[in-house]
Every structure is written in structure tokens, then in C-alpha cells.
Amino acid sequence: MIRRPPRSTLSSSSAASDVYKRQGINAEYGTHLADAMAEENEMEMAEDSAPWDDLLGDDVPAMDPNDPLLAGVQAAIHKVLAGNHEKLTLELRGQVEQLKRLKAQREESGVELYSVQQQLAKLQMGLERAHEQYNIMAQMRKGSEEDNQQISDAYGSRKAELGEQREKLQKYEGELDKVNLTLRQVESYNEQMRNEISVTRRATYKAEEDISKLEDKQKWQDLYICLLYTSPSPRDS
């Protein structure tokens, strides 16, 4: 018995008999039937539905596989099976390629894991050396802390001495400020005195100049009087 797609007409018994017994079936109907069969085959593969024999009744007669009426159906079935075979072949090739890639990745992971183990061993050795260096540095740090404590004590004493010296310095600076103030006052007084001396000197020079002019004038007057007394008068002549 040949499997066929499920019936889509309203009457199940008449549609089942008409598909296989009708003598005037045309090629277009066979093509539509093949397409419907291909779609149903895809649905069966996706949903894992029941065989077509369970959907058909017992009253469907058997047909010769070499019947020309089944050529379109057989071609459609062959097309679907070929498509499924090609699809499965491509999927199988993809799975094989993926398996090869996974094997290559596993080998690469093995090589990487070996290199990571080697690096881990080196890091372990480095860690041990670092631990030894840490112990050495801890001892050195302890000695440095002791030296630092001694230096801190010496620094404290020196700081106290420096504080005393700063107090003395501030005291001396106060005294020096007073002396500087006194010096500035003395300099101001000296400048004032120099100005006054300069004014007095200019006044003195002016007075001396006036006196010199008066003396010269007095000399001319004396000379004039002397000439008046010594010259003969007109009456005497």
C-alpha cells in the first residue's frame, strides 16, 4: 500500500477514493498534489506525526508503482527525499567540520594547558624565590625600623635644641629690629641735619657774597672820598 498525504476535502471516504480511482486526473492536479505532499513531509519531519496509513481507511485499494498517474507523486517524493538527503549531507558535513574544529581546538587547548602548566611551575618557583626575598626584606625592614627609631630619638633631641636656638634667634631678631629702628631714626636725624647744614651753608655763602660786595662797594666809596680830598679844588687854582 502506498502512503499518501492526509485528506483536505470535506468528505473523507469520497476524497480518498476519488484521488486514486479518477481516470481523468490532469498533470496540474498531480503537481499540486506533489507540492502538498512535500509540505506534509516537512511537517512530519518537524512534528514527528503518525504515518499516513493511520489516516487512511481500509477501503483504499493498492496501485501499481509503475502507474503513470503516480509519476508526479513519485517525482515529488524523490525531490523531497533528495532535498532531505542533500540537507542531511550538508548537516553531516557541517558536523564533521565542527568535529574537526573541536578536535583541533582540543589539541590547541592541550598545548595551551601544557604551556600554562609550565608557566605555573615557573610561577611557583618565582613565588618561592619571592617568599625567600620577602623573609630577607622583613629582616632588613626590622633592622631599618630599629635604625629609624634611633634616628627618631636623635632627631627629637636635635629638634629640642633647634627649638631653643629658634627662641634665641627670635630674641636676637627682636633686639636687631630695635637696633635697626634706632639706626633708621639716627639716619633720618642725620639726613635732617645734613639738609639743615646745607641750607645754612647756602645762607652763609650768600651772606659772604653779600659782605664781599659790600666791602667792595665800601672800598670804592673810600677811594672816591680819598680822591675828593686829594684833588685840588678849582678855587685854589
Side-chain angles (χ1 to χ4, degrees), residues 35 62 64 67 73 80 86 94 104 116 120 129-130 134 136 164 171 176 187 192 195 214:
D35 294 335
D64 186 8
D67 193 341
V73 177
V80 172
E86 184 178 359
V116 169
L120 182 61
R129 288 194 297 269
Y134 172 76
I136 296 172
E164 295 177 357
K171 182 179 179 181
L176 181 62
E187 289 178 356
Q192 185 178 1
N195 293 331
L214 290 174

Side-chain angles (χ1 to χ4, degrees), residues 11-107:
S11 178
S12 60
S13 59
S14 62
S17 61
D18 289 341
V19 171
Y20 293 100
K21 292 179 181 179
R22 193 185 314 167
Q23 298 296 325
I25 188 170
N26 53 18
E28 183 178 359
Y29 181 78
T31 303
H32 289 297
L33 182 62
D35 294 335
M37 185 176 178
E39 293 177 0
E40 186 63 26
N41 189 14
E42 292 178 357
M43 293 177 63
E44 283 182 357
M45 292 179 64
E47 299 178 358
D48 195 12
S49 61
W52 291 344
D53 292 338
D54 296 337
L55 301 176
L56 299 174
D58 296 335
D59 56 348
V60 179
M63 295 185 69
D64 186 8
N66 297 323
D67 193 341
L69 297 175
L70 299 178
V73 177
Q74 290 177 353
I77 294 173
H78 183 270
K79 181 179 179 182
V80 172
L81 292 177
N84 292 335
H85 181 268
E86 184 178 359
K87 182 178 180 181
L88 292 174
T89 301
L90 293 175
E91 290 180 356
L92 180 61
R93 289 179 182 176
Q95 294 292 333
V96 171
E97 293 296 331
Q98 185 176 3
L99 181 61
K100 290 181 180 179
R101 288 194 298 269
L102 291 174
K103 287 183 179 180
Q105 291 178 0
R106 186 178 65 181
E107 292 178 357

Side-chain angles (χ1 to χ4, degrees), residues 24-236:
I25 188 170
N26 53 18
E28 183 178 359
Y29 181 78
T31 303
H32 289 297
L33 182 62
D35 294 335
M37 185 176 178
E39 293 177 0
E40 186 63 26
N41 189 14
E42 292 178 357
M43 293 177 63
E44 283 182 357
M45 292 179 64
E47 299 178 358
D48 195 12
S49 61
W52 291 344
D53 292 338
D54 296 337
L55 301 176
L56 299 174
D58 296 335
D59 56 348
V60 179
M63 295 185 69
D64 186 8
N66 297 323
D67 193 341
L69 297 175
L70 299 178
V73 177
Q74 290 177 353
I77 294 173
H78 183 270
K79 181 179 179 182
V80 172
L81 292 177
N84 292 335
H85 181 268
E86 184 178 359
K87 182 178 180 181
L88 292 174
T89 301
L90 293 175
E91 290 180 356
L92 180 61
R93 289 179 182 176
Q95 294 292 333
V96 171
E97 293 296 331
Q98 185 176 3
L99 181 61
K100 290 181 180 179
R101 288 194 298 269
L102 291 174
K103 287 183 179 180
Q105 291 178 0
R106 186 178 65 181
E107 292 178 357
E108 292 177 358
S109 299
V111 174
E112 291 179 358
L113 179 61
Y114 178 75
S115 62
V116 169
Q117 289 177 351
Q118 295 293 328
Q119 292 179 0
L120 182 61
K122 293 180 180 179
L123 291 174
Q124 184 67 28
M125 295 176 63
L127 180 62
E128 292 178 356
R129 288 194 297 269
H131 186 67
E132 293 177 356
Q133 293 178 358
Y134 172 76
N135 292 330
I136 296 172
M137 294 299 293
Q139 294 178 359
M140 293 175 64
R141 179 181 178 181
K142 184 177 180 181
S144 298
E145 287 179 351
E146 293 177 355
D147 296 338
N148 189 21
Q149 186 63 34
Q150 294 177 358
I151 294 172
S152 297
D153 296 337
Y155 173 76
S157 61
R158 294 292 298 174
K159 187 176 181 179
E161 294 177 359
L162 182 61
E164 295 177 357
Q165 294 294 331
R166 284 180 178 177
E167 291 178 356
K168 292 180 181 180
L169 178 61
Q170 291 177 357
K171 182 179 179 181
Y172 294 152
E173 285 179 352
E175 295 177 356
L176 181 62
D177 291 337
K178 292 179 181 180
V179 173
N180 290 329
L181 180 60
T182 304
L183 289 175
R184 284 194 295 271
Q185 292 176 355
V186 171
E187 289 178 356
S188 177
Y189 179 75
N190 290 333
E191 183 68 21
Q192 185 178 1
M193 292 299 296
R194 281 196 294 270
N195 293 331
E196 292 178 357
I197 291 171
S198 177
V199 172
T200 305
R201 182 176 296 173
R202 286 196 296 272
T204 303
Y205 290 158
K206 181 66 176 175
E208 290 179 354
E209 185 177 356
D210 293 338
I211 292 171
S212 178
K213 289 180 179 180
L214 290 174
E215 289 179 353
D216 292 337
K217 187 177 181 180
Q218 184 67 35
K219 287 180 181 180
W220 283 107
Q221 288 178 355
D222 293 340
L223 181 60
Y224 180 72
I225 293 170
C226 184
L227 289 175
L228 288 176
Y229 282 110
T230 56
S231 62
S233 63
R235 295 178 178 179
D236 295 334

